[in-house]
Amino acid sequence: MTIIDNPVEFNVDSLFVDLTAVLGRTVLLKCEGLNFAGSIKLKTARYMVEELERSGELHAGRHLIESSSGNLGVALSVIAASSGYRFTCVTDARCNPSTLAFMRSMGAEVHIIDEPTPHGGFLGARIDHIRELCADDSSYLWLNQYANPRNWQAHHQTTGPEIFSEFPDVDVLFIGAGTTGTIAGVARYAADHHPRTRVVGIDSYGSVNFGGPPGTRFIPGLGSSLDPQMLDRSLLSDTVMVAEEETVRACRRLAARGFLFGGSTGTVVAGADRWLAEHDPEGRLTSVALAPDMGLHYLSTVYDQTWVATTFPALDQPVQVVEEMAG
């Protein structure tokens, strides 16, 4: 029996799903969404908040504020509620409705940005809004996940060791890129302790993380419209860009086998499957992929046929798609 009194203290560090039955090739998927925040971002949030507490910057009277497309906002909402902090999440119109409801139910204040900036997209507009609020009110304390070293350090100290303690001989790791904190931390840990392991970065088309052109993205989670500040691309062996249609297909493919994962996870799985088909067709490599989130917050988007048909008309074939994936 496990009894807890703080949702931040509860985590599952060593749960992996074997995707052989789903993909027809062996990929071990590390599941990071089985905590009270529902994603890997609980690690990031916890490390950033604890550092502010240690430094004395976070105290009574300060008001936490952060930009998030969803998962980090949820994680900070959980931490703020459990610790008695005020928290404001600045998000945008792409944020899933259930994510907005979750944050508000935790007592968070939510600001929704409706218009992107010409060169920074929605992310640039969210950051501009935070800077304006902080300039007007000194009680705000911006965590700034995009430049905060505690973001990548959280995964250098936890996620990386967790993977290699279970699979010390892993040949290739597949990790998605959002703020790039997760991939930066794990890639640095691999370079420090397991240099033979290849780290492959996965991202969505329309994101600039790996140097591609900016474009419209509809699924929150991975990707960015601003150049990453934490990622050393020399630590990556390869990168894969995934169209959001592929993300939806991968999510449905997983769901057809009983696994309800989030959009970020669907992107990672789609990218890993494509990379392995090209580079390891005989299945000789030990492959681990990182699943950042679960799928409950995506029921009104990725798993809703009306939303999918409107957003991606080419995917408006639910019966055929599910039969194809399940087969």
Side-chain angles (χ1 to χ4, degrees):
M1 176 184 293
T2 299
I3 299 175
I4 64 169
D5 61 5
N6 188 331
V8 181
E9 300 297 329
F10 178 79
N11 208 340
V12 178
D13 297 329
S14 58
L15 176 63
F16 292 78
V17 172
D18 185 345
L19 295 183
T20 303
V22 180
L23 302 179
R25 69 179 85 254
T26 300
V27 177
L28 300 162
L29 189 66
K30 187 178 191 304
C31 301
E32 291 281 351
L34 298 176
N35 56 56
F36 282 97
S39 83
I40 196 171
K41 290 293 189 176
L42 186 60
K43 292 176 176 177
T44 304
R46 182 177 180 180
Y47 267 64
M48 292 193 299
V49 169
E50 287 179 347
E51 179 61 28
L52 291 174
E53 291 173 333
R54 277 192 294 268
S55 69
E57 292 182 75
L58 181 54
H59 52 76
R62 300 307 301 271
H63 185 150
L64 293 173
I65 189 168
E66 183 58 292
S67 157
S68 172
S69 63
N71 284 335
L72 186 69
V74 167
L76 286 169
S77 297
V78 170
I79 289 176
S82 66
S83 303
Y85 298 130
R86 295 178 64 197
F87 169 59
T88 293
C89 179
V90 179
T91 187
D92 60 62
R94 299 169 303 172
C95 188
N96 295 325
S98 62
T99 299
L100 296 173
F102 187 107
M103 289 189 287
R104 287 170 173 147
S105 72
M106 293 283 109
E109 181 180 335
V110 180
H111 294 191
I112 302 174
I113 303 300
D114 295 319
E115 295 293 334
T117 61
H119 302 293
F122 278 111
L123 175 54
R126 293 185 340 228
I127 291 175
D128 286 348
H129 183 67
I130 288 177
R131 286 180 171 145
E132 290 172 3
L133 291 174
C134 291
D136 291 338
D137 186 345
S138 61
S139 69
Y140 280 112
L141 183 58
W142 181 24
L143 293 99
N144 193 5
Q145 61 168 321
Y146 311 101
N148 192 325
R150 294 298 285 171
N151 186 341
W152 70 264
Q153 289 167 7
H155 305 288
H156 186 274
Q157 295 176 28
T158 62
T159 311
E162 290 162 8
I163 292 170
F164 287 100
S165 68
E166 297 293 331
F167 301 100
D169 297 321
V170 60
D171 294 302
V172 57
L173 280 173
F174 299 97
I175 305 176
T179 65
T180 70
T182 301
I183 192 170
V186 175
R188 290 183 193 190
Y189 182 85
D192 291 342
H193 302 281
H194 299 269
R196 63 169 290 277
T197 299
R198 284 178 278 184
V199 179
V200 177
I202 313 292
D203 203 2
S204 299
Y205 280 112
S207 168
V208 305
N209 276 328
F210 299 145
T216 302
R217 290 174 289 114
F218 297 99
I219 301 175
L222 299 186
S224 177
S225 53
L226 296 175
D227 288 332
Q229 300 182 50
M230 286 176 283
L231 180 63
D232 180 354
R233 292 177 186 161
S234 70
L235 296 177
L236 305 184
S237 300
D238 204 353
T239 60
V240 179
M241 300 301 292
V242 175
E244 290 189 319
E245 290 86 349
E246 292 180 83
T247 295
V248 174
R249 290 191 182 99
C251 286
R252 292 179 176 187
R253 192 173 183 179
L254 290 161
R257 292 287 183 173
F259 301 112
L260 192 73
F261 283 108
S264 298
T265 299
T267 301
V268 172
V269 169
D273 190 34
R274 180 145 49 86
W275 190 94
L276 289 168
E278 179 179 353
H279 297 278
D280 186 34
E282 297 180 356
R284 296 178 178 176
L285 299 178
T286 300
S287 303
V288 172
L290 195 63
D293 55 1
M294 304 303 287
L296 288 177
H297 289 309
Y298 296 83
L299 291 178
S300 60
T301 54
V302 170
Y303 294 102
D304 180 79
Q305 186 55 33
T306 300
W307 183 88
V308 170
T310 302
T311 310
F312 308 109
L315 294 181
D316 189 17
Q317 301 177 6
V319 175
Q320 292 90 332
V321 168
V322 170
E323 288 178 350
E324 177 182 314
M325 297 307 175

